[in-house]
Amino acid sequence: FFKDYGLTDENVHIVTHSDGRATGEAFVEFRGPADSKSAMIKDKMTIGSRYVELFPSSRDEATRAASKTRY
């Protein structure tokens, strides 16, 4: 989906429920603000049959999401 941005697995953080299942949310770390802004053109596109919504966020928001247990 973001292959043009030179990302690795370490740049993609999938949020999970306490049982390990994915919540459907993920945070992606881009190389910088320009790549992040450019990636927003993919908002409302699909990955296979899955609809994808993109929202700008901060590192702090990603850290908070990763530390929460989702039920």
Side-chain angles (χ1 to χ4, degrees):
F1 192 74
F2 291 125
K3 68 179 186 265
D4 298 335
Y5 295 94
L7 302 173
T8 66
D9 289 348
E10 289 79 31
N11 300 113
V12 180
H13 309 281
I14 298 172
V15 181
T16 59
H17 292 284
S18 59
D19 64 3
R21 292 181 304 119
T23 64
E25 294 181 345
F27 290 85
V28 178
E29 294 180 71
F30 293 95
R31 288 180 286 203
D35 279 358
S36 178
K37 186 174 181 176
S38 172
M40 291 302 293
I41 65 169
K42 301 218 177 236
D43 187 30
K44 297 183 175 58
M45 293 179 86
T46 58
I47 297 176
S49 62
R50 302 288 301 203
Y51 176 75
V52 177
E53 283 187 284
L54 303 178
F55 302 96
S57 64
S58 67
R59 185 178 303 266
D60 288 342
E61 288 171 308
T63 301
R64 281 194 299 272
S67 68
K68 290 182 183 178
T69 302
R70 306 282 177 109
Y71 294 99

